Amino acid sequence: MTSSLVRRASTALSPLVLLAICTPAAFAWQPAPPASATAAVNPQTAAAKAWNFAASDIAVDPNIVFGVLPNGMKYALLKNSTPKDSVVLRMRFDVGSFAEADDQRGLAHFLEHMVFNGSTNVPEGEMVKLLERKGLAFGADTNAVTGFDDTVYQLDLPNATDDLIDTGLMLMRETASEVTIDPAAVDRERGIILSERRARDTYQLRSLIDQLGFQMEGMRVASRIPVGTEEVIKTAPAARIRDIYDRYYRPERATLVMVGDFDPAVVEAKIKARFAGWKGRGPAGPDPDIGTVDYKRPSAADDFVDPAIQDAVTVTAFKPWVQEPDTKAKRAKSLAEEIGEAIVSRRLAKIALNEDSPILAGYFSEAAGWKVFDQVTVGAIAKEGAWKEALALVEQELRRATEHGFTQAEVDEQIANRRTALKNAVAGVTTRRSDTMADVLISAAEGDFVVVRPETTQALFDATTPSLNAETVSAAFRKRVEGLSAPLVHVTSKKPVEGGTAAILADLGASRQVAVAAPAEAASSAFAYDDFGTPGKIVADDRIDDLGIRRIRFANNVMLNIKKTDFQKDKVYLSMRVDGGELLATKDDPTRVALAGSISLGGLEAHSLDELRTILAGKTVSPAFGSSTDAFGGSALTSPDDFALQAKLMAAFLTHPGYRADGLALIRRYLPQQYAANDATPSAVIARDAGGILANNDPRETTPPLDKLMTLDWTQLKAAVGDSLAHGAIEIGVVGDMDEQAVIDAIASTFGALSERRAAFDPRTDARVRQYAADRSERTLIHKGPAEQAELRVYWPARDDSDLAEAMQLNLLSRVMQLMLTEELREKLGESYSPGAAASLSNEYPGYGFLFAASNIDFKDLATTRAAIFAIAKELRDKPVDADLLDRARKPLVESMTKARRENGYWLPYVTEASTQADRLDRSRNGIKEVEAATPAELEALAQRYLVDDKALVIKAVSDKAPK
């Protein structure tokens, strides 16, 4: 289970979440007439009123079946076939950590755990096993999230059979009112939750709590982080968990959403049969009083210091939240505001790419905080030690936008981006993803917005845009930031701020005295790389009929592999591989091509990366060019209309990379921030060091020193990759909804038009040699997190993945081991929230691979965890896997492999290498069969061969504060 510690607060703090919020983004500009003046657009049913769209003048998506039972439970059903033959269930309860009393802090999340630990019709410990037997993996398909004001249970059913749908509904009904919350089971779960809390106790969380407490002073946000307090988790009686369950898990606070390949009428009847009789138990709990912010609070500052934290600054202000129904008028206003906000973010992104910029990234964000406040934030991630310069920059850019507004070119760029996004959404309406739609409907349960079809949003947008210009958008933005409270500045830094918060406020005041000039009109040029020469001629063309793959070779030796699918309407994936990659690094020069993964940051000879963003506005293309183990290149998601442009862009990065100074400067600003966190947590220090240890300290697999990386430059890289980019073999893969001939023409006129390339990829046999660690002595790595945090990993050398049957059996064996680890370390010992096991079998380094078991634990439990892992390995060696255990490991694996075949992302790696690695296509043909055919005896034999104690290598990560 996942506890989203700040699922709601994240909208106040994360620009990525804010910019991707699910509410519709396109609104009409002219005020709409009052709803009462026209005929109702939407149904006036009880369901429409319960979902709060009856009075709106925006038409709800007519394909969604909305309902409300007499007991108050809401539901929404949508027939959807992406992915095919699957069903997504979500059940939301309108309660989270805000509802907790002081002696219940963490119990809303504790209750989420108890749902999986026994109910009237499902004994303790059986729910997850029941689902595994039906093909659902714990975590991937079965999960739950506790936030500040809601709790959501999630089931992703791998098929749409009546049996599985009935099982899902049965479990949701058990969740609603039948959870037993047995005191003994509560005691057994305490260690698991403490383990989860310990794992989440990171510098990022501590910084977030500090920020919430500072910005939202007077509210109970910072004191109600869902994971709770250690004392409550250790001591709270089951009755206090039951108190939350009885008062808040009630039909009037519940919403059930189902999206997938089913008949809504049939499923609706099932829902009514199961849930109509549900009644609340005892008195209902009130909506919690979470307090409010002080809008008259004077400017204030706060700093959070940690050696691992990114240097960053935010300037935040508030005003009271105003209830507005979702109407055309509201969406009109919001669109103009959002365009202005996006322009501010775009300006900060542009500044971040300047060679001498003090920031790595910047953003403008907004949030409606639990219907209490309206929050506006402008922020930036700073160059190490440059928070002062970053503060002045973001303050002045916000003021520049307010005082001088925006240019028409800036507005046009944002409109173009939104128009294309809407065009793509309309084109792909028949293949919207079920999980995405389910999450949108769960969000709509609060009644804040109407769920509409993309065509509706597009129509509103098209009616609006003639009225959107520099003047109207500037005016809307000024009104948006009117009436805000005094700014609150939050600074994070690796070292204490000299002069403390008084110095921060003084720097803010000094910045506010600096006059800001109006923005200059930026000139935009046309894309320079439109003609690559005479289109290439096809010299070979064949098809792999059983997999639907077409393979083409042009006269210049460029290879093109195509697979047409109907998984995602109007979406096309383009992948490019150019011979070379990280195999060009040597033991003597392991960082020789380290910068290759960031080539796109250097832009093109004719255009900087920022200029490309402007030139390509409104196009579904991206500058995807980097590095992998054996190739340079990358992959991008585009549309049929923009496929040719995407091909030109990727070809331009191949033939005319810019190697610009601003890109190198950004890399050098970023690296110190990244490296500062490399020893902050157990997982971070293992990620830093384990690769090198396992590869016998091969310098190519070892994290290089920061000082070394900071000396690298484009000149060195250019010399290392020049031959590959100019002459190396090229293989192109295309997967998705396309016209094959249009794809062939686009590749012929770009890559096919290049000068002759080498006909085949260089095998680089010597560069592919990796040796497993000869020294198997136990290693201890030191991290700088809390004293009790530790992680233990046990590695066993294995093999590469060239033998498909054995590779699939090893993957299945690792799944079995993970279930055994979960049962022992989580359920029996209560030592670890999420133990794991996996097989890592290389397809690039012959003979290289390993199995491993891992667990994030308390330092005091290292010995018992180590003993448990080796005991499980012994059990796997000594006897065949139990039939039920094997079934619970095999079925989710088979279902996940079957489901993956319905995704373009699954096919892209196969298609991309269909000419050069044709033998690997058998993995797609036969992988599932091999998993289904694996026997207990075969798994036991593999355990006897690989899970041998004296071959094991133990790596543990412990804190520098741990007892010696």
Side-chain angles (χ1 to χ4, degrees), residues 522-834:
S524 178
S525 57
F527 187 58
Y529 304 98
D530 195 55
D531 186 358
F532 290 84
T534 303
K537 301 296 184 182
I538 295 174
V539 296
D541 187 352
D542 67 3
R543 291 184 183 270
I544 303 172
D545 292 331
D546 65 320
L547 298 180
I549 298 173
R550 183 177 180 182
R551 300 184 300 188
I552 289 169
R553 184 180 286 266
F554 293 97
N556 66 349
N557 287 321
V558 168
M559 295 162 275
L560 169 62
N561 311 315
I562 303 171
K563 179 176 174 63
K564 185 173 183 177
T565 71
D566 59 1
F567 304 140
Q568 293 175 285
K569 181 68 175 173
D570 268 24
K571 294 186 186 298
V572 189
Y573 289 82
L574 170 61
S575 176
M576 172 183 64
R577 298 177 68 244
V578 181
D579 186 22
E582 292 153 18
L583 291 180
L584 296 184
T586 66
K587 285 187 175 182
D588 292 334
D589 190 1
T591 60
R592 185 171 180 241
V593 291
L595 290 178
S598 303
I599 283 179
S600 62
L601 293 178
L604 297 171
E605 289 177 356
H607 309 298
S608 70
L609 182 59
D610 179 71
E611 289 167 346
L612 284 173
R613 290 173 177 170
T614 298
I615 293 169
L616 302 174
K619 304 296 183 181
T620 310
V621 297
S622 58
F625 197 95
S627 181
S628 63
T629 299
D630 62 353
F632 301 115
S635 62
L637 173 62
T638 184
S639 66
D641 288 349
D642 291 326
F643 181 87
L645 179 59
Q646 180 67 63
K648 291 175 182 177
L649 180 61
M650 295 177 84
F653 271 104
L654 174 66
T655 57
H656 296 87
Y659 300 115
R660 290 170 174 263
D662 53 11
L664 183 62
L666 178 60
I667 294 168
R668 289 176 174 172
R669 291 197 300 274
Y670 168 76
L671 284 171
Q673 298 279 38
Q674 177 191 23
Y675 266 63
N678 276 355
D679 61 359
T681 65
S683 59
V685 76
I686 288 178
R688 182 192 68 189
D689 292 348
I693 293 171
L694 294 171
N696 210 34
N697 297 316
D698 189 315
R700 294 167 295 182
E701 301 298 329
T702 302
T703 301
L706 175 60
D707 290 347
K708 174 62 178 176
L709 290 183
M710 294 294 283
T711 67
L712 300 180
D713 59 35
W714 292 132
T715 301
Q716 295 166 315
L717 179 68
K718 193 173 182 179
V721 305
D723 179 70
S724 288
L725 299 191
H727 306 293
I730 297 176
E731 187 170 20
I732 306 292
V734 183
V735 176
D737 182 24
M738 74 191 87
D739 176 270
E740 281 192 8
Q741 190 57 51
V743 165
I744 294 168
D745 292 345
I747 300 303
S749 64
T750 51
F751 296 98
L754 303 178
S755 59
E756 185 174 353
R757 314 294 294 198
R758 297 187 186 103
F761 279 62
D762 186 336
R764 294 190 170 85
T765 305
D766 291 343
R768 292 181 182 273
V769 174
R770 292 294 185 275
Q771 296 177 338
Y772 193 80
D775 178 4
R776 306 292 169 83
S777 62
E778 185 169 311
R779 311 298 211 282
T780 299
L781 308 179
I782 305 299
H783 70 85
K784 296 180 179 178
E788 68 276 10
Q789 287 186 352
E791 185 163 340
L792 183 74
R793 295 198 180 190
V794 182
Y795 296 87
W796 293 270
R799 54 160 302 145
D800 59 27
D801 74 346
S802 58
D803 184 319
L804 177 59
E806 188 164 307
M808 293 296 100
Q809 290 165 13
L810 285 170
N811 274 295
L812 183 56
L813 178 63
S814 69
R815 292 252 180 165
V816 169
M817 178 176 258
Q818 172 149 346
L819 293 182
M820 296 174 72
L821 287 167
T822 300
E823 181 68 23
E824 183 68 19
L825 297 178
R826 178 181 169 122
E827 303 303 330
K828 290 184 180 178
L829 298 178
E831 291 181 356
S832 179
Y833 167 63
S834 57

Side-chain angles (χ1 to χ4, degrees), residues 904-927:
N904 287 325
Y906 165 86
W907 287 105
L908 188 61
Y910 285 111
V911 173
T912 299
E913 299 180 345
S915 292
T916 58
Q917 304 273 351
D919 57 316
R920 292 190 66 82
L921 294 174
D922 280 342
R923 309 180 74 79
S924 178
R925 294 184 178 101
N926 302 318

Side-chain angles (χ1 to χ4, degrees), residues 450-511:
V450 180
V451 182
V452 301
R453 287 181 62 82
E455 299 93 332
T456 301
T457 307
Q458 185 184 53
L460 293 172
F461 179 86
D462 289 342
T464 301
T465 49
S467 300
L468 294 179
N469 54 46
E471 181 180 356
T472 57
V473 171
S474 298
F477 182 79
R478 291 189 187 101
K479 189 169 183 60
R480 174 73 186 88
V481 297
E482 277 182 3
L484 290 169
S485 61
L488 304 175
V489 183
H490 188 265
V491 171
T492 60
S493 62
K494 296 174 179 61
K495 298 178 181 178
V497 173
E498 186 175 348
T501 57
I504 297 173
L505 283 177
D507 288 326
L508 175 66
S511 175

Side-chain angles (χ1 to χ4, degrees), residues 206-218:
R206 293 189 290 275
S207 174
L208 179 58
I209 293 172
D210 178 80
Q211 186 174 6
L212 292 171
F214 165 66
Q215 292 177 341
M216 300 173 195
E217 188 179 86

Side-chain angles (χ1 to χ4, degrees), residues 3 32 75 127 199 203 315 369 639 678 791 840:
S3 173
Y75 60 88
M127 179 187 284
Y203 63 93
V315 180
S639 66
N678 276 355
E791 185 163 340
S840 178

